[in-house]
Structure formats: C-alpha cells, structure tokens
Amino acid sequence: MFSAKIYTVFLSAILMSATAAAQMSFEETPKRLFKPVSMFAKAEDNLKDEFKEKGLEWPVKYMFVRAFKLERQLEVWVKDDYAEAFQLFKVYKVCATSGTYGPKRKEGDKQIPEGFYYINEFKPNSNYHLALGLNYPNASDAVLSDPNKPGGDIYIHGNCVTIGCLPITDSLIEQVYHMASVVKEQGQDFIPVHIFPMRYDDPESVEQFTTRTKNKPETQQFAKSIKDAYEYFEDTHQLPAVFVTDKGDYLISGNPYAPKVPRSKLVSANKPADPYAAWELEEKVDKVPFYKEGNAALQKWLFLLSQELSAKLPPNTSMSLQVEFIVDKEGTTQMATVVRGGDPKTNALIKQRFETELKWQPALKDGKPVNTKLRQNLNLAAPEDL
C-alpha cells in the first residue's frame, strides 16, 4: 500500500487527463502557436517524407521523448493509437551539454535533470530559436532539491548552447517542436520526457559512467533508482507508471502482461573512440583555471582572434563556433577542438592559436592542480561588402 502522500508523476492509464491543471498556462496559450506556420512548412514536408519512409502514419498522434546524457542523444518515439507500442522515429544529437552525471538539485548547478518529466510549455519566440519547456522541478525534485532555489527554466531548444538544457540544432528543433505541437492538436496533452544518465545496456557506457562516478555513491544510487523505467520500456516499448513517495523517491510500476518486443542496439559498437579517454579529467573543481595575464587580457585575445578570423570570411557572412579544450596540470592548453561550426582551415588555425598562445593557472581540487576541460564560444561576422 502506497503512502497517502505518494503522487502520480506518470501513469499510462490516465495520460490524457492527469495534467489539465498542471498545464494551465500551456492550455491558455493561443491555439495559433501550435498550428503550422511558414517556418514549419519545410520541417513538415521533411517529416512527412521521413514518416513515409519508415512506414509511420502522419500526422503523428502520440509522442514520447527520451534523452541520454553520456551518449548526447535525444530520441523521439511515436505511435498512432494509445494501446499500441511506441516505435522509434529518430535519434537526434544533443549538440552541447553542461554539468555532470546526476539529477539537478539547485539553481546554478548547470545540471541537466535526470528523471521523469513532461513538456509543459511551448515557446515559439525563444532566444534559442524554439523551446519546449519541461516541468522541472517535478514532484520528486520538489522534495529532494534545494527548497528555496531549486532552479528552473529547463528546455529542449535550438541554438546549440546550454547551462542545463537539452539543445539540438535549429533545423532539428523545428522538427521536434512541430511534432509536439501536432500531437498536442491531436489530443495528447501529456508528452512525457525521460532523461537518463546513459544507456544501461551498453557496456562501454556503463563502464564510463561507473569510472567517472566511482567516488559519488549517491549519483550511482540515483541512476539505479530510475533504471527500471528504462528496462521496462526497452522490453515493451510501453511507458511504465512512475510514482513519487513522500521522501521523493521514484517507484516504477510496469504492466506484467505487456507483450515483450525484441531489443535493438541503437549505439554503434564502432562508435569513435573518446579523444579524452587518456586524460584524467576533473569535472568539478574547487578553483577553475585562470588565464595568467588576467581575464581582461583573455577577452582582448579572444576579440582580436575573432576579428582576425572574421576578416577571412566572405562579405556579409557570419559564423558561430564552439571550441573545446583541456587545461592540464601545468596550465597548458591541450586538445583544442572546434566541436561546432567552422571549416577545416579555420579550425586548424584556432587549434594552433589556442594551444600555443593560451597559458593558465591550472584548476585546483583539494589544493592540487588537476586537468579539466573548458569550452569557449567564438562569434565571427564578416564586414559588410560596401
């Protein structure tokens, strides 16, 4: 018998009616925001073609979203009838991440949440192109997160930057946003979103997760507490019921009579080797790296580099890049890699300049220098062709 204080977070039997009150602001949004407009015309044409190729019915009736931090993937599952099993439509790349493994617990921790959520906001005029809001903090987070400042504003959005959200590229968010608006119009008020630290049945992912969290038993325990929902869906392609106890713990309940489906391995066994595998990197440090000549000098260096690179662009063009690099224990810049944007010639120049010119006071943890990884955005804009 569950406690009287247990709240139903996701219950498959009442998906269509459980959230009317919880989504009041969403329901009050003008209906026109969910109808196809000019910016979605191309997205809808592409979706129709892709659905047809995969033997799926358009317009989509039901949608489920599942995300994995380690693999940086966001899946969209669909079905045409409530009683059917979900079918995988597409796996999208999450193009930027922040934080580390484990749930979000307070404002400013940069964590992408883990657990069970639903889409509670459509934001067509987002600064990040388009955005689908998640109901963080949910019933579990309300118990376990910081009671005063748990944080919020967690979205699936475009623009490929994040401090706790799930970003994909602008063209891809147009697809996901449009599908969500279509199922909303078809009657699905409750669009569930499950976020996991990794794919639990991929040995390489499990090994990496275990290694990176070896000194974080609470993170490993939380990952274990939500694993049953992953396993049930993998076995049935149906959503389990998810409850929250008065202590904030998740309880997963599946239908024991649900038909089993064959499992398919979505992560390629030949996926590229992790370029940072040989580095012992610290994700959370007591003191972040500090540019030896001071922050003002660093900003000037970045500005001058951006100006130099902008001058090489064709007139009236712009480019947004993101550079990932390691600051090692000696304060040297290593492994500088443009992970978003650019072209081979520009990226090679950026790598050379970062690795030869940027010198740091290294990051500290427990008073000792450590290796850590940083990211830096560069926005380039060519001068107008006058």
Side-chain angles (χ1 to χ4, degrees), residues 150-218:
D153 294 328
I154 303 299
Y155 294 91
I156 301 168
H157 61 65
N159 209 24
C160 218
V161 294
T162 185
I163 50 171
C165 297
L166 291 165
I168 55 181
T169 63
D170 288 355
S171 61
L172 297 183
I173 191 59
E174 288 173 12
Q175 280 199 354
V176 177
Y177 187 100
H178 188 52
M179 279 188 285
S181 67
V182 168
V183 300
K184 167 65 181 174
E185 287 189 328
Q186 297 291 317
Q188 186 185 2
D189 289 334
F190 185 92
I191 304 173
V193 178
H194 293 188
I195 306 175
F196 297 101
M198 62 183 159
R199 293 186 183 277
Y200 292 88
D201 53 0
D202 181 64
E204 293 180 27
S205 295
V206 172
E207 181 181 6
Q208 183 174 341
F209 172 81
T210 303
T211 300
R212 300 292 288 273
T213 61
K214 62 183 179 181
N215 297 321
K216 301 176 181 178
E218 70 286 351

Side-chain angles (χ1 to χ4, degrees), residues 117 126 135 306 335:
Y117 301 91
S126 168
N135 68 314
S306 297
M335 299 286 292

Side-chain angles (χ1 to χ4, degrees), residues 106-119:
K106 62 182 179 180
E107 182 180 302
D109 63 4
K110 299 183 180 180
Q111 286 291 92
I112 297 170
E114 293 176 13
F116 309 103
Y117 301 91
Y118 60 83
I119 293 171

Side-chain angles (χ1 to χ4, degrees), residues 10 19-29 34 65 116-124 131-139 151-156 177 180 184 188-193:
F10 300 109
T19 59
Q23 300 189 67
M24 186 61 67
S25 62
F26 172 45
E27 297 292 350
E28 292 171 351
T29 305
F34 304 109
V65 178
F116 309 103
Y117 301 91
Y118 60 83
I119 293 171
N120 69 344
E121 181 184 3
F122 284 64
K123 200 167 185 178
L132 297 166
L134 304 186
N135 68 314
Y136 174 91
N138 65 16
D153 294 328
I154 303 299
Y155 294 91
I156 301 168
Y177 187 100
K184 167 65 181 174
Q188 186 185 2
D189 289 334
F190 185 92
I191 304 173
V193 178

